Amino acid sequence: MHLINVQSFLEREQAIHSKSKVDRQAKVLQVHTYKPEEYAILSHRWGKETAEVNYEEMVELANMDTEKQGEIRKRAGYQKILGGCKRAEIDGYKWLWVDTCCIDKRSNVELSEAINSMYRWYENSAQCYAYLHDVFDPFLPTECNSGCYSLSNGWPEWFSRGWTLQELIAPDDVQFFNKDWQPIGDKRMHSRTLQAITRVPQHILTNGFSWTRPCVAQIMSWAADRKTSRVEDEAYSLMGLLGVNMPMLYGEGKTAFQRLQLEIIRMSDDQSIFAWDPYGHIGRSGSVLADEPGLFRGCSDLQTMEIDEFMKALRVLKAKEVAERLGSFPVTNRGIQIWLPLRPCIGLPTVFEATLQCRASEAQRPVTIYLTLWKSNYYRSFGPQSKAVFPEQGVPRFEQLHLRYQDIVHRNPIFEFDDEAVSERRFSCSSTYPKELTDCNKVKLTSSNPLCVRTYADSLANSHFSVGFGQCFGQVWIHVFHEECSRIFMGSEEDNVKEEYNKMLIRGPEHAQSMVEAYPGPSHICIKHTRLPYWTV
């Protein structure tokens, strides 16, 4: 690793400032191939690339002309390094590491090595300086202030960035400084406030992972509201916290987060990795792996269960035999091969409730997720699961499944419709949900909005029917649902169409399969007529 020689840096800066002779042979950055002497490390929020100082500029500053030197030395990034070196000198450290200038990013090998080693570098530092560039007072804010920090969740920006999460946890000693490098306390002093800001428990802030390592889902939840400049860094910034090493492939986009999860699965039997989005907010079915850390937002209180505790909760008697099956889940080209206890949904033969070996901290029962069977493989299933009913009694059956993690291609289909004939029969469109998906006589679906329902009503006959336009697992489908004339539809029109939406959403896989069986070949489907019951006034 490259480290800044604090004395050489400050001497060079003083010589340039006083216009004295600069020692051009002095090495400001030096390589340490072994564990160096005690060093300090700087954690900070990156500004614009043009405001920071890179490796080449730091090395060559003494050889530049006066104008270029002046431009670099005026940068906020340079002043930040200067402040860090002055602080390190006060604290008696000869070496300082700063990510902006201590990594030669022209070398992909060095960049990859640095990212894979970064957690360890922070962990091995004698002291970490957390520089809060947007804090002007000599104390750390203790209350959320959206006025001062509107772009970073109401707290200083340092707390909203992806990389600073590991920089908060890994070092034993983290000292906070405001914009003017005034000390404003350490992470132990502010552990209660830091827990409120970051959701990282106080015992982790004060003791790190020395006592116990949280489950994967809980660690992911700490990053749920953090941002990174590049989408790949959502994954790369978590590698050290999760004990993962993998090559950097900038340009791969969200695939990086999928690779991260697969690496975790290969080295761990922690099933909480499948417990993301516990409240089913995304409303679609697909891969068993999460698309981003934000989907773990509701997992901050999850913890793994010991096998005996898990078997007892399931009322399983032959625990030892079952435990051997649960011990590993290899990644194959077909999917993740895993044994899970399943309960089939009553009335929905393709929907199952799967129980995971983890629970919320105050709960006695394990976490459950919903799986949908599609073409002999299982996918995560979402939607209004309150509409699904699972048998409460009895022991769930253990089955070996293949959980698909490969992305599903969503076609974002457009449906065109003509409902003039319906109007002639006294029916009119009473409501649509979601409304934003309908434009004139077209319904446009997306991967995040896979269903649109239009409800038609004859108020005189107290009758109605609904038409659902949906897609599931890349298959488009259309379903017509009607109620008997004796049914009295209660509530507002908006409530009514949402109820129909929920019914169709949970049965999306069934409707899609029906369409496959009815129209196995053509990519374009036309429904000219559909039969509805005859209603009379």
Side-chain angles (χ1 to χ4, degrees):
M1 62 187 296
H2 292 96
L3 288 170
I4 298 174
N5 185 314
V6 172
Q7 182 178 355
S8 295
F9 177 89
L10 293 176
E11 287 178 351
R12 185 180 71 178
E13 169 58 25
Q14 178 59 35
I16 295 174
H17 177 74
S18 62
K19 298 181 180 180
S20 304
K21 184 178 180 180
V22 178
D23 183 359
R24 300 178 186 275
Q25 303 302 316
K27 292 185 176 181
V28 173
L29 286 180
Q30 295 186 27
V31 178
H32 291 258
T33 56
Y34 56 93
K35 185 176 179 180
E37 302 174 55
E38 285 193 335
Y39 62 93
I41 200 165
L42 177 64
S43 174
H44 63 103
R45 162 70 180 107
W46 272 56
K48 295 180 179 179
E49 286 282 349
T50 54
E52 302 296 345
V53 179
N54 61 34
Y55 172 86
E56 187 177 13
E57 290 170 329
M58 178 62 75
V59 171
E60 297 296 331
L61 185 68
N63 299 316
M64 295 177 182
D65 59 50
T66 304
E67 184 178 352
K68 183 62 176 178
Q69 284 181 349
E71 184 273 320
I72 291 175
R73 291 173 59 243
K74 289 179 181 178
R75 293 180 193 173
Y78 184 88
Q79 293 300 313
K80 187 164 48 183
I81 296 170
L82 177 58
C85 285
K86 288 180 177 179
R87 186 70 230 182
E89 184 181 45
I90 292 172
D91 293 335
Y93 297 113
K94 297 179 180 179
W95 307 98
L96 176 70
W97 189 87
V98 184
D99 58 354
T100 55
C101 63
C102 290
I103 304 172
D104 187 355
K105 299 177 182 65
R106 297 171 299 179
S107 168
N108 290 332
V109 173
E110 181 170 336
L111 178 60
S112 181
E113 180 185 355
I115 292 177
N116 276 284
S117 305
M118 200 172 294
Y119 183 89
R120 187 170 69 252
W121 292 353
Y122 277 91
E123 186 178 36
N124 291 337
S125 65
Q127 200 166 85
C128 176
Y129 303 142
Y131 178 68
L132 311 184
H133 75 283
D134 50 359
V135 174
F136 298 89
D137 298 315
F139 52 82
L140 187 72
T142 57
E143 294 183 357
C144 182
N145 189 330
S146 299
C148 290
Y149 310 109
S150 59
L151 300 179
S152 51
N153 304 320
W155 297 99
E157 194 173 9
W158 187 87
F159 295 104
S160 70
R161 308 306 299 178
W163 286 103
T164 56
L165 176 61
Q166 69 171 5
E167 296 161 16
L168 171 67
I169 295 171
D172 182 61
D173 185 1
V174 178
Q175 301 285 336
F176 291 94
F177 296 86
N178 70 1
K179 183 178 178 63
D180 297 322
W181 281 96
Q182 291 178 288
I184 53 178
D186 62 29
K187 70 173 180 178
R188 287 182 174 80
M189 177 191 305
H190 296 298
S191 61
R192 181 172 296 181
T193 299
L194 294 175
Q195 176 177 285
I197 298 172
T198 65
R199 295 194 294 273
V200 179
Q202 279 187 265
H203 70 89
I204 299 293
L205 293 169
T206 55
N207 300 299
F209 293 151
S210 58
W211 285 3
T212 180
R213 194 177 190 89
C215 69
V216 169
Q218 185 180 154
I219 293 175
M220 293 283 200
S221 75
W222 303 338
D225 295 315
R226 292 176 176 260
K227 302 174 184 177
T228 58
S229 299
R230 303 189 67 166
V231 66
E232 295 87 353
D233 286 336
E234 290 179 348
Y236 302 161
S237 63
L238 290 171
M239 294 194 308
L241 285 166
L242 295 163
V244 170
N245 286 290
M246 65 184 197
M248 309 295 99
L249 299 172
Y250 280 105
E252 66 177 324
K254 287 189 173 294
T255 302
F257 194 62
Q258 183 189 79
R259 284 203 299 127
L260 175 71
Q261 293 169 89
L262 291 176
E263 287 298 322
I264 293 169
I265 289 169
R266 290 187 178 99
M267 58 180 284
S268 168
D269 61 355
D270 186 343
Q271 293 185 4
S272 73
I273 195 169
F274 303 119
W276 50 275
D277 195 19
Y279 306 110
H281 290 154
I282 65 171
R284 65 173 176 82
S285 300
S287 170
V288 296
L289 301 181
D291 291 336
E292 59 181 0
L295 293 176
F296 287 90
R297 184 172 290 104
C299 300
S300 60
D301 63 342
L302 288 194
Q303 58 188 39
T304 55
M305 300 176 71
E306 295 295 332
I307 189 65
D308 292 340
E309 179 188 14
F310 184 57
M311 293 296 115
K312 183 179 179 180
L314 295 177
R315 299 190 292 276
V316 174
L317 299 178
K318 298 179 180 180
K320 185 175 293 186
E321 296 178 14
V322 175
E324 293 177 358
R325 295 177 176 178
L326 297 177
S328 63
F329 32 98
V331 177
T332 71
N333 59 356
R334 184 177 170 185
I336 300 166
Q337 184 177 307
I338 188 172
W339 285 88
L340 286 176
L342 291 185
R343 283 188 171 92
C345 176
I346 298 174
L348 291 172
T350 61
V351 178
F352 299 84
E353 182 185 61
T355 307
L356 303 177
Q357 196 178 335
C358 59
R359 63 176 173 82
S361 57
E362 300 300 325
Q364 298 299 318
R365 300 184 63 181
V367 171
T368 58
I369 60 173
Y370 299 97
L371 301 176
T372 295
L373 178 61
W374 176 260
K375 297 182 179 179
S376 76
N377 291 312
Y378 289 81
Y379 296 81
R380 247 333 260 280
S381 179
F382 295 93
Q385 302 299 345
S386 59
K387 300 293 182 181
V389 179
F390 299 89
E392 289 290 333
Q393 302 300 321
V395 177
R397 68 177 188 266
F398 281 79
E399 291 193 15
Q400 187 180 50
L401 319 175
H402 284 91
L403 304 179
R404 293 287 286 184
Y405 61 84
Q406 293 86 347
D407 289 332
I408 297 173
V409 177
H410 295 279
R411 291 189 274 176
N412 295 341
I414 298 176
F415 296 87
E416 295 188 22
F417 58 86
D418 182 354
D419 55 8
E420 288 186 6
V422 176
S423 301
E424 293 173 1
R425 301 292 183 178
R426 297 189 316 196
F427 284 90
S428 61
C429 180
S430 58
S431 52
T432 301
Y433 185 82
K435 293 181 180 180
E436 63 270 17
L437 300 183
T438 302
D439 180 19
C440 297
N441 65 333
K442 294 181 180 180
V443 170
K444 301 178 180 179
L445 302 183
T446 66
S447 59
S448 57
N449 285 293
L451 171 64
C452 182
V453 175
R454 288 174 64 84
T455 297
Y456 293 84
D458 178 354
S459 58
L460 295 177
N462 191 29
S463 303
H464 85 285
F465 70 92
S466 300
V467 182
F469 305 89
Q471 66 168 334
C472 190
F473 305 121
Q475 172 66 45
V476 298
W477 56 268
I478 302 171
H479 182 71
V480 180
F481 178 83
H482 68 83
E483 295 288 345
E484 298 298 331
C485 60
S486 59
R487 167 163 158 68
I488 300 176
F489 217 31
M490 305 298 291
S492 66
E493 291 184 357
E494 183 178 357
D495 291 337
N496 295 338
V497 72
K498 284 184 179 180
E499 182 177 348
E500 303 299 338
Y501 178 92
N502 290 340
K503 290 177 182 177
M504 292 193 193
L505 185 61
I506 197 171
R507 291 187 176 272
E510 289 185 37
H511 299 327
Q513 184 61 43
S514 298
M515 295 295 285
V516 170
E517 294 169 356
Y519 301 91
S523 58
H524 294 81
I525 300 171
C526 175
I527 295 182
K528 188 175 182 182
H529 300 287
T530 187
R531 185 178 296 277
L532 295 172
Y534 179 73
W535 287 295
T536 57
V537 179

